[in-house]
């Protein structure tokens, strides 16, 4: 198959080819063609925009030459999955001319419905979105680390007699003596089961009254820790509601007190 050349090498040839190449070069996505050896036969100018690698230095090379080494196994698996008349979509990292990594989404398929090669593909640079997601994850990890270091127990529970936990911070162990994992979804122990029996009714009634009036609560009561000792805590929280006003749960913070 004759390689498609970059238009500056063969301008104004093959009839409408220059106009077609001009169209490809106006796109803000990479368009490429791969032969049976997975070498680049054609690629448009946007490739150079996102990678800094000239088109002339790309045509004729294996596409895998531009992938991050850790992506090579996934690339090989992708090529083995492709069948005529179907497309595959994958994310991977490219190495730019400066050494910077660029995240791309590739959609690849056979040009012809009845044979596998050549392969056509489009690449969309998703690096900004991936970076924003990484920033959000880093911020979440930082916030979670801060929460877990607090000498307090942050929680979200269902509104039942057991106060079954849907979320609990690592400060749970400091307050109750139980690990966070042991209290989640009442797998081993529930908050309701360690509230002092003489305080349990009072706690339930106070919370229910606050939920009915859509107001926060601030309650003091006693807990029995894992080692059997009793501690006094302050529980400050509020209800979680649906748009219709139905109670979905309770969230709050438990603090040790000197009472």
């Amino acid at each position: 198959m004759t390689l498609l050349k970059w238009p500056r090498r063969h301008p104004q040839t093959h009839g409408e080819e220059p106009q077609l190449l001009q169209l490809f070069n106006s796109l803000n996505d990479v368009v490429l063609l791969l032969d049976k050896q997975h070498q680049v036969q054609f690629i448009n100018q946007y490739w150079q925009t996102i990678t800094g690698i000239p088109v002339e230095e790309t045509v004729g090379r294996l596409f895998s030459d531009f992938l991050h080494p850790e992506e090579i196994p996934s690339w090989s698996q992708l090529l083995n999955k492709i069948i005529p008349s179907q497309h595959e979509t994958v994310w991977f990292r490219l190495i730019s001319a400066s050494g910077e990594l660029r995240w791309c989404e590739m959609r690849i398929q056979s040009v012809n419905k009845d044979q596998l090669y050549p392969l056509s593909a489009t690449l969309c640079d998703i690096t900004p979105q991936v970076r924003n997601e990484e920033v959000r994850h880093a911020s979440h990890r930082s916030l979670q680390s801060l929460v877990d270091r607090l000498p307090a127990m942050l929680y979200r529970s269902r509104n039942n007699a057991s106060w079954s936990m849907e979320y609990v911070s690592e400060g749970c162990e400091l307050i109750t003596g139980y690990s966070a994992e042991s209290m989640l979804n009442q797998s081993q122990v529930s908050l309701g089961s360690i509230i002092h029996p003489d305080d349990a009714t009072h706690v339930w009634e106070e919370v229910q009254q606050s939920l009915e009036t859509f107001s926060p609560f601030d309650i003091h009561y006693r807990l029995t820790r894992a080692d059997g000792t009793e501690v006094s805590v302050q529980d400050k929280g509020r209800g979680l509601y649906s748009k219709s006003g139905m109670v979905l749960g309770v969230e709050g913070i438990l603090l040790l007190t000197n009472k």
Side-chain angles (χ1 to χ4, degrees):
M1 177 176 293
T2 302
L3 293 181
L4 291 176
K5 301 296 185 180
W6 189 241
R8 286 174 292 182
R9 293 183 178 181
H10 299 284
Q12 304 304 315
T13 60
H14 306 295
E16 298 180 354
E17 183 176 306
Q19 292 182 345
L20 184 59
L21 293 175
Q22 185 177 13
L23 173 62
F24 284 144
N25 290 334
S26 69
L27 299 176
N28 288 329
D29 287 323
V30 177
V31 179
L32 66 145
L33 192 68
L34 302 178
D35 63 15
K36 191 173 183 179
Q37 287 71 43
H38 309 134
Q39 295 176 332
V40 179
Q41 288 188 306
F42 167 79
I43 198 162
N44 67 337
Q45 187 64 39
Y46 197 67
W47 168 260
Q48 185 167 337
T49 301
I50 67 171
T51 67
I53 303 172
V55 169
E56 293 87 347
E57 296 178 11
T58 305
V59 173
R61 293 179 58 182
L62 293 171
F63 183 74
S64 57
D65 290 346
F66 307 101
L67 293 175
H68 188 283
E70 292 179 359
E71 307 290 0
I72 302 299
S74 297
W75 174 246
S76 298
Q77 292 175 10
L78 173 68
L79 294 174
N80 290 330
K81 288 170 55 179
I82 298 174
I83 60 176
S85 75
Q86 292 189 13
H87 74 269
E88 296 287 343
T89 302
V90 65
W91 286 19
F92 56 77
R93 291 164 291 174
L94 294 171
I95 301 178
S96 68
S98 65
E100 181 186 14
L101 295 180
R102 307 296 299 182
W103 276 98
C104 291
E105 181 181 77
M106 171 184 269
R107 180 185 173 104
I108 186 169
Q109 60 276 314
S110 302
V111 173
N112 302 308
K113 293 184 178 181
D114 55 350
Q115 61 185 46
L116 184 57
Y117 294 99
L119 297 171
S120 66
T122 55
L123 295 180
C124 177
D125 184 9
I126 58 173
T127 304
Q129 297 96 303
V130 172
R131 284 178 176 165
N132 289 339
E133 190 67 22
E134 289 175 342
V135 169
R136 285 194 292 271
H137 286 169
S139 298
H140 176 76
R141 289 194 299 271
S142 178
L143 178 60
Q144 186 64 51
S145 178
L146 171 63
V147 167
D148 288 339
R149 291 196 305 270
L150 290 174
M153 171 180 152
L154 277 71
Y155 70 87
R156 182 175 62 249
S157 75
R158 292 191 284 276
N159 185 40
N160 56 27
S162 297
W163 303 112
S164 304
M165 291 296 161
E166 296 178 346
Y167 167 80
V168 62
S169 69
E170 293 297 325
C172 170
E173 191 158 3
L174 173 68
I175 304 294
T176 69
Y178 295 98
S179 68
E181 292 78 9
S182 68
M183 295 195 72
L184 282 175
N185 294 313
Q186 202 177 335
S187 56
Q188 295 182 34
V189 64
S190 69
L191 178 61
S193 69
I194 62 175
I195 296 177
H196 193 285
D198 293 342
D199 295 340
T201 300
H202 165 68
V203 171
W204 175 259
E205 291 177 348
E206 285 285 328
V207 173
Q208 299 313 302
Q209 182 177 354
S210 295
L211 294 177
E212 289 175 6
T213 58
F214 298 90
S215 58
F217 57 83
D218 187 346
I219 315 169
H220 290 80
Y221 55 88
R222 292 164 291 174
L223 292 178
T224 302
R225 287 170 46 87
D227 61 5
T229 59
E230 290 185 3
V231 293
S232 296
V233 297
Q234 181 181 14
D235 190 347
K236 304 182 69 171
R238 63 177 185 178
L240 298 170
Y241 306 91
S242 68
K243 291 182 179 180
S244 63
M246 182 177 69
V247 177
L248 300 177
V250 177
E251 64 181 6
I253 181 171
L254 279 179
L255 301 164
L256 289 173
T257 67
N258 294 323
K259 290 185 179 182

